[in-house]
């Protein structure tokens, strides 16, 4: 394959809603239908000559897998979170690759497309490892709490829904396969990787890798991935076309452009909720603060319009 | 990464027993421990300068996933066989990659290592698609037969064990990601791919790809993969050190070397059982008949000894 370093390189982080829409349970036919719509903008960018690495969410899919593991205890082996994350990188990566191949074929674009697994490394001494904060998996009744805790799980009440497992979500510090991913991009391939934030691993003192029971924030991992493969642009695709200020008030307004310093000011002022826009703006800030040229936050279906300046929020250094 | 076309290139097909031993259920700790032993020979070959693509079996793992899907019906979405295969390529690919990275690190070998998913294409008009022959998944009681058939499953009695689903196992004709895999090998990477025979897909008349409910024979897919990436050697690793003639009779003897024509003669004479050595010898014959230089069939732990001429069976054109 020809080397194509001259093509503009970007990482695109597909939000969970690119694959499973609110209210859906995440069946394979639903996910394939949603991807058929969501990947239109990606195909259009590839036609414009972009070299892309795609990351994606995996919430509903890994949640469904946790239900399967739970309901088959004793009949099939348990799976740790790192292996479940790897499984779902496989299943979703395949679906994304297949749908994208069909779209490129329909456009007459003969580009290599592939899915490479990636592990995301955290510090073995990250204090977050001892502080589980992130809800994962199904809701349990109070009567099941003891059995869950007996497995070593930290359990927490999820606002009136019931009890759920919580796991650590430490800082990503390195993408284990950065060289291998860069090789594929250098060769002109569209690469799908880092689904669900990547397979969570940390390194022992002797250098060996081990998985751990935790999850990595997908947007932070995508920002790191973009820096590690030298992509000057990061596109974070989500459910809204623009980052909003004073959201859900009469003064609500979209932001077309903000510097990282401005964005950090808004973050500190509590403008962006921790569970939704907050981590995306944080990831955007880190990306441009550490050398990225610019980060776009926009809706799944608005990618092309945003690149043409019609919508979207750009975060710049 | 430097191009390393001068390194001898081979495909290694790891048998299921490289990952899960007879009698084990295929838990993650069991599989990681087995891989720790099984990948020693692979690391030794890499130290000798080989450029390798590793394929592997997935029987116990995909079987366990079918049990999970079965026991969570109604609570979590069903999964078709192509997506399950992709999931397990992810989970097992990650485990193999991680264990191999540790082994190479321990040997001071700084080689790129990665896992790329692969889809294996069959002909949409392959008559085998209409003839389900391969047992998959758990055993059902006669009382569950009707419910299974209502899902559109073909069911068959598995010699006294009970009823099981049977699916087609058509001929692999192309590896969808052959270019992308070759790019990585050209760059010197050790690549894990094609687990479980690859994700089964076929192409519609308009060229779009679809998964199907079937499985691809792992050894036939490995032979095709080796041909498509231009590997002159194929190493099929299994539970025995040599192919045996007159197996389980007083005249039993190992074969050190046979031509494809000789091997085909033995196959025709019923020397190799259909469920075990037969498909391996068939894959070896096809490989050398279609341009491969030589194929080795040996035990997981005997790879280095076989390359040194101490054991193993070589099939040559």
């Amino acid at each position: 394959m020809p080397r194509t370093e001259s093509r503009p390189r970007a990482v695109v982080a597909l939000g969970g809603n690119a694959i499973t829409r609110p209210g859906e349970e995440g069946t394979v036919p639903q996910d394939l239908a949603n991807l058929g719509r969501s990947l239109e903008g990606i195909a259009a960018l590839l036609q414009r000559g972009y070299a892309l690495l795609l990351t994606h969410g995996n919430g509903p899919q890994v949640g469904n897998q946790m239900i399967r593991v739970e309901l088959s205890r004793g009949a099939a082996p348990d799976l740790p979170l790192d292996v479940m994350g790897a499984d779902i990188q496989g299943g979703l990566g395949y679906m994304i690759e297949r749908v994208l191949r069909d779209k490129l074929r329909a456009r007459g674009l003969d580009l290599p497309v592939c899915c490479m697994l990636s592990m995301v490394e955290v510090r073995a001494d990250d204090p977050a490892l001892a502080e589980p904060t992130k809800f994962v998996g199904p809701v349990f009744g109070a009567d099941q709490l003891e059995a869950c805790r007996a497995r070593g799980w930290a359990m927490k009440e999820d606002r009136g829904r019931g009890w759920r497992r919580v796991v650590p979500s430490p800082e990503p510090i390195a993408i284990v396969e950065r060289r291998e991913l860069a090789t594929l991009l250098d060769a002109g391939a569209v690469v799908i990787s880092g689904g669900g934030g990547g397979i969570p691993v940390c390194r022992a003192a002797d250098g060996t890798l081990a998985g751990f029971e935790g999850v990595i924030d997908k947007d932070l991992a995508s920002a790191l991935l973009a820096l590690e493969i030298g992509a000057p642009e990061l596109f974070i695709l989500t459910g809204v076309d623009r980052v909003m200020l004073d959201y859900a008030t009469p003064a609500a307004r979209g932001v077309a452009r903000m510097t990282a310093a401005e964005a950090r000011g808004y973050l500190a002022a509590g403008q962006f909720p921790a569970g939704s826009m907050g981590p995306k703006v944080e990831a955007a800030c880190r990306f441009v603060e550490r050398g990225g040229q610019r980060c776009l936050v926009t809706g799944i279906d608005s990618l092309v319009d945003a690149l043409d300046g019609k919508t979207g929020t750009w975060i710049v250094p």
Side-chain angles (χ1 to χ4, degrees), chain A residues 148-311:
Chain A
C148 289
R149 287 190 171 133
R151 291 175 200 154
W153 291 4
M155 301 295 292
K156 208 175 139 185
E157 202 163 8
D158 190 2
R159 284 188 239 162
R161 292 180 62 192
W163 292 85
R164 292 178 73 196
R165 185 179 181 193
V166 278
V167 297
S169 185
E171 291 284 311
I173 60 158
I175 309 296
V176 173
E177 294 83 357
R178 58 193 167 279
R179 285 193 297 176
E180 295 80 356
L181 292 166
T183 294
L184 287 169
L185 288 162
D186 286 348
V190 189
V191 187
I192 300 142
S193 197
I199 305 165
V201 296
C202 60
R203 220 174 262 283
D206 66 356
T208 56
L209 290 164
F212 66 90
E213 296 284 312
V215 294
I216 314 278
D217 180 83
K218 169 182 64 70
D219 296 304
L220 293 183
S222 301
L224 178 64
L225 198 41
L227 292 170
E228 295 219 336
I229 61 163
E233 292 184 292
L234 170 64
F235 306 148
I236 299 179
L237 304 187
T238 180
V240 293
D241 289 342
R242 264 194 175 148
V243 177
M244 303 292 286
L245 291 177
D246 298 321
Y247 183 67
T249 75
R253 61 203 183 277
V255 185
R257 188 176 181 279
M258 55 186 171
T259 64
E262 286 165 346
R264 289 224 173 267
Y266 296 135
L267 272 171
Q271 281 277 0
F272 312 126
S276 62
M277 197 52 83
K280 295 182 200 307
V281 173
E282 175 67 35
C285 288
R286 289 194 196 183
F287 176 64
V288 297
E289 285 162 359
R290 295 179 193 177
Q293 267 176 31
R294 57 180 194 163
C295 175
L296 170 68
V297 179
T298 193
I300 297 284
D301 302 316
S302 306
L303 179 55
V304 173
D305 279 350
L307 285 172
D308 289 342
K310 294 178 192 160
T311 185

Side-chain angles (χ1 to χ4, degrees), chain A residues 3-19:
Chain A
R3 296 205 157 237
T4 54
E5 278 103 349
S6 59
R7 292 167 65 200
R9 186 177 287 193
V11 167
V12 185
L14 295 168
N17 65 329
I19 306 172

Side-chain angles (χ1 to χ4, degrees), chain A residues 9-10 20-21 25 27 54 84 95 118 128 138 164 174 180 266:
Chain A
R9 186 177 287 193
T20 307
R21 308 228 158 183
E25 51 184 336
T27 67
L54 308 183
M84 277 198 253
M95 289 195 265
S118 54
R164 292 178 73 196
E180 295 80 356
Y266 296 135

